[in-house]
Amino acid sequence: MIIGVLAVQGGVAEHQRTLDALGIEHRAVRRIEHLEGIDGIILPGGESTTMSKLLTIGGLYEPLRAALADGLPAYGTCAGMILLSSKVLDTRPDAVSFGALDATVRRNAFGRQVDSFEADLAFEGIEESVHAVFIRAPWIEEVGPGVKVLARVPDGPNANAIVAVTQGNILATSFHPEVTGDTRVHEYFLQMVRDAKKAK
Ligand code: GLN
């Protein structure tokens, strides 16, 4: 199994370290040819509009969009979640997204004052709570019928905001498990990749 890590911008190294810790082979995806032979891809956090621009300029947008539409398993964290979604609120008019996840996502949804915060979440499919780190995070405002909500903000002013979802071979979280040393969300994704591989 080879997992691609989209490496045009953002927190690439943290995901690579997490995959290293799990003993999973991975590859930085910067150009079209890097998509060849990967079993899944991680879209890291960073700046979604910058990634959008670099993906378009570099010619990676269309082939990756097609691969996702064709069922390539993908896990997006934060900006990666934004890129996977079908509709993005509070973004630049020229920003593109892949539309692989039937969801409306709002960028920087927790407000600019609350730049970052942390919370312990109940995550469906993972036994004990997940410590979630949010950094200028988006949330999901609306989901289509095929989308399963896996986690919400437990309390506070933004209680119940949707912060983890899955649909088919897609997983997305508003938060960053790759910075906490907790590998369980990545393992959840790797199981999705294995299942997709088996189903092929
Ligand atoms: N606010 C960023 C964006 O809109 C996402 C932040 C992150 O990935 N940590 O792209």
Side-chain angles (χ1 to χ4, degrees):
M1 177 161 82
I2 306 174
I3 300 297
V5 182
L6 181 66
V8 294
Q9 191 264 340
V12 177
E14 292 84 350
H15 283 287
Q16 292 171 329
R17 269 199 293 275
T18 307
L19 293 170
D20 283 337
L22 290 167
I24 298 293
E25 194 181 333
H26 56 83
R27 177 198 298 161
V29 174
R30 295 195 176 84
R31 292 191 300 275
I32 300 177
E33 58 266 34
H34 300 150
L35 293 171
E36 190 59 43
I38 58 172
D39 299 295
I41 188 165
I42 292 178
L43 283 63
E47 222 296 308
S48 57
T49 61
T50 305
M51 283 194 223
S52 157
K53 201 180 291 172
L54 295 172
L55 285 164
T56 312
I57 292 170
L60 195 52
Y61 172 73
E62 183 48 37
L64 182 48
R65 191 204 58 74
L68 295 168
D70 199 38
L72 177 70
Y75 173 29
T77 57
C78 204
M81 169 193 257
I82 295 168
L83 285 175
L84 288 173
S85 296
S86 51
K87 189 166 176 205
V88 184
L89 304 176
D90 290 342
T91 192
R92 293 169 52 109
D94 58 347
V96 294
S97 67
F98 292 115
L101 176 69
D102 185 9
T104 301
V105 66
R106 185 178 295 279
R107 288 180 66 225
N108 303 317
F110 293 92
R112 282 164 213 282
Q113 278 79 355
V114 224
D115 231 28
S116 305
F117 69 100
E118 304 188 11
D120 289 315
L121 311 175
F123 192 109
E124 196 171 329
I126 294 180
E127 226 158 85
E128 272 159 42
S129 68
V130 171
H131 187 69
V133 175
F134 296 86
I135 307 165
R136 290 180 296 283
W139 68 38
I140 300 249
E141 290 204 356
E142 248 183 81
V143 293
V147 177
K148 187 165 154 191
V149 174
L150 297 174
R152 295 175 183 265
V153 172
D155 45 32
N158 300 307
N160 292 321
I162 299 172
V163 292
V165 293
T166 184
Q167 176 183 25
N169 291 337
I170 304 292
L171 176 67
T173 63
S174 303
F175 55 92
H176 295 271
E178 72 281 10
V179 303
T180 62
D182 182 348
T183 56
R184 291 175 299 161
V185 179
H186 287 76
E187 288 173 80
Y188 183 103
F189 173 60
L190 294 171
Q191 192 53 49
M192 289 170 59
V193 175
R194 284 186 203 100
D195 291 345
K197 218 172 145 80
K198 247 183 269 165
K200 249 197 232 167

Coordinates of all heavy atoms in Angstrom, one line a residue, residues 44-51 77-80 82 90-91 107-108 134-138 174 176, ligand 1:
P44 N -3.3 17.7 3.1 CA -3.0 18.3 4.4 C -3.7 19.6 4.6 O -4.3 20.2 3.7 CB -1.5 18.5 4.3 CG -1.2 18.7 2.9 CD -2.2 17.9 2.1
G45 N -3.5 20.2 5.8 CA -3.9 21.5 6.1 C -2.9 22.5 5.5 O -1.8 22.1 5.1
G46 N -3.3 23.7 5.5 CA -2.5 24.8 5.0 C -3.4 25.9 4.6 O -4.3 26.3 5.4
E47 N -3.3 26.4 3.4 CA -4.1 27.5 2.9 C -4.8 27.1 1.7 O -4.2 26.9 0.6 CB -3.3 28.7 2.7 CG -3.9 30.0 3.2 CD -5.2 30.3 2.5 OE1 -5.2 30.4 1.2 OE2 -6.2 30.5 3.1
S48 N -6.2 26.8 1.8 CA -6.9 26.2 0.7 C -6.8 27.0 -0.6 O -6.8 26.4 -1.7 CB -8.3 25.9 1.1 OG -9.0 27.0 1.5
T49 N -6.9 28.4 -0.5 CA -6.9 29.1 -1.8 C -5.5 29.1 -2.4 O -5.4 29.1 -3.7 CB -7.3 30.6 -1.5 OG1 -6.4 31.2 -0.6 CG2 -8.7 30.7 -0.9
T50 N -4.5 29.1 -1.6 CA -3.1 29.0 -2.2 C -3.0 27.6 -2.9 O -2.4 27.5 -4.0 CB -2.1 29.1 -1.1 OG1 -2.3 30.4 -0.4 CG2 -0.7 29.1 -1.6
M51 N -3.4 26.5 -2.2 CA -3.3 25.2 -2.7 C -4.1 25.1 -4.0 O -3.7 24.6 -5.0 CB -3.9 24.2 -1.8 CG -2.9 23.8 -0.6 SD -3.5 22.3 0.2 CE -3.3 22.8 1.8
T77 N -7.5 17.1 5.8 CA -7.5 17.7 7.1 C -7.6 19.2 6.9 O -6.7 19.8 6.1 CB -6.3 17.4 8.0 OG1 -5.1 17.8 7.3 CG2 -6.2 16.0 8.3
C78 N -8.5 19.9 7.5 CA -8.6 21.4 7.5 C -8.7 21.9 6.0 O -9.7 21.7 5.4 CB -7.5 21.9 8.3 SG -7.8 23.5 8.9
A79 N -7.6 22.5 5.6 CA -7.7 23.0 4.2 C -7.9 21.9 3.2 O -8.6 22.0 2.2 CB -6.3 23.7 3.8
G80 N -7.5 20.7 3.6 CA -7.7 19.5 2.7 C -9.2 19.1 2.7 O -9.8 18.7 1.7
I82 N -11.6 21.4 3.0 CA -12.1 22.4 2.1 C -12.0 22.0 0.6 O -12.9 22.1 -0.1 CB -11.4 23.8 2.4 CG1 -11.7 24.3 3.8 CG2 -11.9 24.8 1.3 CD1 -10.9 25.4 4.3
D90 N -17.2 31.6 2.0 CA -16.1 32.5 2.5 C -14.8 32.2 1.9 O -13.8 32.2 2.5 CB -16.0 32.5 4.0 CG -17.2 33.1 4.7 OD1 -17.9 33.9 4.0 OD2 -17.4 32.9 5.9
T91 N -14.8 31.9 0.6 CA -13.5 31.7 -0.1 C -13.4 32.7 -1.2 O -14.2 33.6 -1.3 CB -13.4 30.2 -0.6 OG1 -12.1 30.0 -1.0 CG2 -14.4 30.0 -1.8
R107 N -15.0 28.2 5.4 CA -13.7 28.5 5.8 C -13.6 29.4 7.0 O -14.5 30.2 7.2 CB -12.9 29.2 4.7 CG -12.6 28.3 3.5 CD -11.8 29.1 2.4 NE -10.5 29.6 2.9 CZ -10.0 30.8 2.7 NH1 -10.7 31.7 2.1 NH2 -8.8 31.1 3.2
N108 N -12.6 29.2 7.8 CA -12.4 30.1 9.0 C -13.6 30.2 9.8 O -13.9 31.3 10.3 CB -11.8 31.4 8.6 CG -10.5 31.3 7.8 OD1 -9.6 30.5 8.1 ND2 -10.4 32.0 6.7
F134 N -7.6 22.5 16.5 CA -8.2 23.3 15.4 C -7.4 24.5 15.1 O -7.1 25.3 16.1 CB -9.6 23.7 15.7 CG -10.6 22.6 15.9 CD1 -10.7 22.0 17.2 CD2 -11.4 22.2 14.9 CE1 -11.7 20.9 17.4 CE2 -12.4 21.2 15.1 CZ -12.5 20.5 16.3
I135 N -7.0 24.8 13.9 CA -6.2 25.9 13.5 C -6.9 26.7 12.4 O -6.9 26.2 11.2 CB -4.8 25.5 13.1 CG1 -4.1 24.6 14.2 CG2 -3.9 26.7 12.8 CD1 -2.9 23.9 13.8
R136 N -7.5 27.8 12.7 CA -8.2 28.6 11.6 C -9.1 27.6 10.8 O -9.1 27.6 9.6 CB -7.3 29.4 10.7 CG -6.7 30.6 11.4 CD -5.8 31.4 10.5 NE -4.6 30.6 10.1 CZ -3.5 30.4 10.8 NH1 -3.5 30.8 12.0 NH2 -2.5 29.7 10.4
A137 N -9.8 26.8 11.6 CA -10.5 25.7 11.0 C -11.8 26.0 10.3 O -12.5 26.9 10.7 CB -10.7 24.6 12.1
P138 N -12.2 25.2 9.3 CA -13.5 25.2 8.7 C -14.5 24.4 9.5 O -14.0 23.6 10.4 CB -13.3 24.6 7.3 CG -12.2 23.6 7.6 CD -11.3 24.1 8.7
S174 N -12.0 18.7 10.3 CA -11.6 20.2 10.4 C -10.3 20.3 11.2 O -9.7 21.3 11.1 CB -12.7 20.9 11.2 OG -13.9 20.8 10.6
H176 N -6.6 18.6 13.2 CA -5.3 18.1 12.7 C -4.8 16.9 13.6 O -4.0 17.2 14.5 CB -4.3 19.2 12.8 CG -4.5 20.3 11.8 ND1 -4.1 20.3 10.6 CD2 -5.2 21.5 12.0 CE1 -4.5 21.4 10.0 NE2 -5.2 22.1 10.8
Ligands
GLN1 N1 -8.0 28.6 7.0 C1 -7.3 27.7 6.1 C2 -8.0 27.7 4.7 O1 -9.0 28.3 4.6 C3 -7.3 26.3 6.6 C4 -6.5 26.3 7.9 C5 -5.7 25.0 8.1 O2 -5.6 24.2 7.2 N2 -5.1 24.8 9.2 O3 -7.4 27.2 3.8

